[in-house]
Amino acid sequence: MNKPKILVTGASKGIGLAIANQLKSNFQILAHASSLESLHPFGDDVELIAADLSDPIQLQNFCKELKSKHSEDLVAVINNAGLTFDKPIIFQSEKDIDLMMAVNLKAPIMISKTAMKIFSVKGKGTIINISSCVAQTGNAFQAVYSATKAGLIAFSKSLAKESGAINSDNQIRVLSVAPGLIETAMTNRIPEKEMQKYLEFVPAHRLGKAEEMAALVEFLLSDKAAYINGSCIDMNGGMF
Ligand SMILES: NC(=O)c1ccc[n+]([C@@H]2O[C@H](COP(=O)([O-])OP(=O)(O)OC[C@H]3O[C@@H](n4cnc5c(N)ncnc54)[C@H](OP(=O)(O)O)[C@@H]3O)[C@@H](O)[C@H]2O)c1
């Protein structure tokens, strides 16, 4: 029997890479990033899939391939790929706004739509959308990013309800996770002085680790979390 398969988007680095590494002993991982070159951290034990999620044609082909090649074994999708361009809204270009909307919100919606088609047939499956703490608190210079991440929380809650409305014996779960400051390329870009200011609000006075996020995702995928559905789980060290 084939190993159950999990798609992790944005698996080339940071949180996505940690999730893929954490899960790969028990699952067949389908690791996604914008290009095959950026997926170099993986060996033969991981399947690779590349698509620039900001490109509607590549997104469409990615979803088609997910359904045609991976339906049989797919048990979960982790929508983790994301990007941010931190700027005051008055300086935010329409191109960057479109990019954040496309990668952070539209792509997870289209990938979840495909996953729901697959999971509805089986009556089970899990979707985890990686949101952000700023979705609930707001953050200066991240207005658009925060809006995309807030959209993911509402989308997850709605989809969780929808799966129950459609399937009488429903074992489909849709969740979101809202990380605080996690040590990755995304937070490495924050200037030291600004970071120190943020850390004053974190009781542990440290960044979270990508591996800690991966451990949470592993738990949420497990049967132990079978009654957690629709929720947004915070992991921010007590920051908010
Ligand atoms: N780090 C934090 O503190 C933090 C806090 C809250 C929420 N988050 C969320 O957690 C998720 C992972 O963040 P991270 O810190 O691990 O980020 P990261 O290190 O910057 O990695 C981002 C991942 O997303 C992929 N990606 C970006 N643009 C893409 C595109 N156009 N098409 C396809 N893939 C694309 C990247 O692939 P390539 O390498 O191919 O570009 C990479 O694998 C994101 O959704 C982020 O918003 C992070």
Side-chain angles (χ1 to χ4, degrees):
M1 214 180 77
N2 297 335
K3 265 192 194 173
K5 190 176 283 184
I6 296 187
L7 166 68
V8 183
T9 72
S12 57
K13 53 189 184 230
I15 294 169
L17 175 61
I19 293 172
N21 281 333
Q22 177 81 22
L23 299 177
K24 73 180 180 192
S25 48
N26 292 324
F27 298 93
Q28 176 64 44
I29 300 298
L30 182 56
H32 156 273
S34 63
S35 69
L36 285 179
E37 295 80 70
S38 57
L39 285 163
H40 63 83
F42 295 107
D44 293 344
D45 52 341
V46 167
E47 281 178 86
L48 308 179
I49 183 166
D52 178 346
L53 298 179
S54 68
D55 177 337
I57 304 295
Q58 289 192 44
L59 174 61
Q60 207 175 65
N61 290 336
F62 175 83
C63 290
K64 271 190 198 152
E65 187 173 332
L66 184 64
K67 185 149 186 291
S68 63
K69 290 201 188 149
H70 305 287
S71 282
E72 195 179 329
D73 303 316
L74 194 76
V75 295
V77 166
I78 318 297
N79 281 311
N80 163 78
L83 45 77
T84 182
F85 302 101
D86 299 351
K87 272 183 198 155
I89 190 73
I90 54 174
F91 298 126
Q92 198 97 67
S93 70
E94 189 171 352
K95 181 172 158 271
D96 288 351
I97 293 172
D98 285 344
L99 266 173
M100 286 185 275
M101 302 278 263
V103 176
N104 297 357
L105 188 57
K106 185 178 175 192
I109 288 174
M110 297 309 288
I111 295 166
S112 298
K113 176 180 168 180
T114 308
M116 286 301 273
K117 286 185 189 168
I118 298 168
F119 296 158
S120 294
V121 175
K122 308 177 189 192
K124 60 180 174 187
T126 309
I127 298 172
I128 300 181
N129 292 311
I130 307 298
S131 176
S132 167
C133 61
V134 299
Q136 299 169 96
T137 61
N139 198 24
F141 315 130
Q142 286 195 319
V144 180
Y145 174 76
S146 307
T148 62
K149 294 296 184 177
L152 273 187
I153 296 176
F155 177 69
S156 307
K157 286 183 186 297
S158 301
L159 216 55
K161 289 192 189 314
E162 191 171 308
S163 66
I166 292 170
N167 306 302
S168 53
D169 179 21
N170 182 44
Q171 292 176 53
I172 297 174
R173 294 184 300 127
V174 188
L175 301 154
S176 54
V177 176
L181 289 164
I182 310 297
E183 198 172 348
T184 69
M186 195 177 262
T187 44
N188 281 346
R189 288 198 299 265
I190 300 174
E192 179 62 26
K193 233 170 126 187
E194 210 174 304
M195 180 58 86
Q196 286 312 325
K197 236 170 42 198
Y198 281 131
L199 287 179
E200 282 172 23
F201 296 97
V202 182
H205 302 301
R206 69 165 176 90
L207 297 172
K209 296 185 176 71
E211 291 71 23
E212 290 172 314
M213 274 289 294
L216 172 61
V217 167
E218 185 177 42
F219 168 72
L220 292 174
L221 288 171
S222 75
D223 287 345
K224 290 177 184 159
Y227 206 58
I228 304 178
N229 195 7
S231 320
C232 175
I233 312 295
D234 292 338
M235 206 201 82
N236 58 41
M239 191 177 186
F240 299 110

